[in-house]
Amino acid sequence: MSIYHLQSRGVTSAQGVVKSYGDRSSEAVLRGVTYAFRPGSFTAIMGPSGSGKTTLLNCLCGLDVPDSGSVSLDGHSLTGLDEDDRALVRRDTCGFIFQDYNLFEALDVHGNVALPQRLAGRPLSTSDIRGALERVGLADKARSPIGTLSGGQRQRVAIARALASRPGTIFADEPTGALDSRTARDVLALMRQSASELGSTTIMVTHDAVAAAWADDVVVMSDGSIADVVRGGDPDQISRAVNHIWS
C-alpha cells in the first residue's frame, strides 16, 4: 500500500477522465471529462439517466477508478493509489449526503453523526457533534431514535454527519429526491449555507433545476461529456439550457 500525505485544502478536479464498464469494446460512460471545482463553491451536476453524472461523482471521490485521465480530491492526486489509500483520502477529506440518508436505525441521532469518525479511530468531541446538530436545527433531537424522525429530519442528520468533521469536499447524490418541495428547500438552504460558511467544496448530483439553482455553477452533462456550464440562481434559465442540450 502506498503512503499519501495530507496537505492543505485544494482543488477537486477531473482531467481528461475516461471511464467505461466491461471490456475495452464497451462504450465509455465518461469521455474525457475535464473540470476543476472552485474551492468553497457549490456546484450542481445535471444530466439525464446515462449521461455520466453519477459516474463522475464516483470517480471524483475515488469510489471508481478512471480508465485514463486523472483525479485530484481536495488537492490530493488519486492517480496510482490503491483502494485502501483512496479510502483513507476519502475518509480524511470528504463528507457524503445520500438520497436514502444511509442512517443506522439502531443508533440515535448523536450516534449516527459520531459513527464515521469513530470508525476511523478519530472520534469527534461532544461539542463538535452538538455544533453540527445545532447548525441543522436538531440540537434537541440528539438522543432521539432515528425511527421517530421525519424524512426531512433524517436528511438533516445526514447533513450534520457530513459536516461534523469539517471536510474539504462534500458529495451529495440527489439529496432532495425523496423530500417534499418545502423540506427540499430547507435542506438546500442548509447545504448552501454550509458551503458559504464552512468553505467546503460542495458537489451535488441532481436532475432538478430548482435544486440546481441553489448552486453557484451548474455542470450540464450529455453522453458522457460536459455540454455546458451555466450559472446557478435561476431555475428557468437552467431548464432552458438543459432542454436545449438534451433536445
Side-chain angles (χ1 to χ4, degrees), residues 79-161:
T79 303
L81 297 186
D82 63 20
E83 184 175 352
D84 288 339
D85 275 346
R86 292 197 311 275
L88 289 176
V89 177
R90 193 162 51 243
R91 181 198 70 186
D92 291 338
T93 63
C94 296
F96 293 90
I97 305 170
F98 304 97
Q99 178 177 341
D100 59 359
Y101 320 133
N102 282 10
L103 302 176
F104 289 86
E105 297 281 342
L107 299 176
D108 61 15
V109 168
H110 182 282
N112 270 278
V113 174
L115 184 61
Q117 293 302 306
R118 190 178 74 185
L119 292 177
R122 302 187 331 188
L124 296 166
S125 68
T126 300
S127 61
D128 285 336
I129 297 171
R130 184 188 306 114
L133 290 173
E134 286 175 350
R135 182 173 291 276
V136 301
L138 290 178
D140 61 334
K141 299 288 186 181
R143 294 304 176 184
S144 296
I146 293 299
T148 66
L149 304 183
S150 66
Q153 289 172 324
R154 292 182 186 213
Q155 192 59 291
R156 286 171 179 263
V157 175
I159 293 173
R161 180 182 58 192

Side-chain angles (χ1 to χ4, degrees), residues 169-219:
T169 304
I170 294 174
F171 293 100
D173 191 359
E174 299 282 6
T176 61
L179 304 176
D180 62 79
S181 58
R182 181 176 179 178
T183 304
R185 184 174 65 248
D186 292 342
V187 164
L188 289 162
L190 279 171
M191 293 176 60
R192 169 74 273 174
Q193 180 183 25
S194 298
S196 300
E197 295 182 359
L198 298 182
S200 296
T201 303
T202 302
I203 303 171
M204 173 181 72
V205 164
T206 184
H207 67 280
D208 184 356
V210 174
W214 287 83
D216 298 307
D217 300 298
V218 183
V219 173

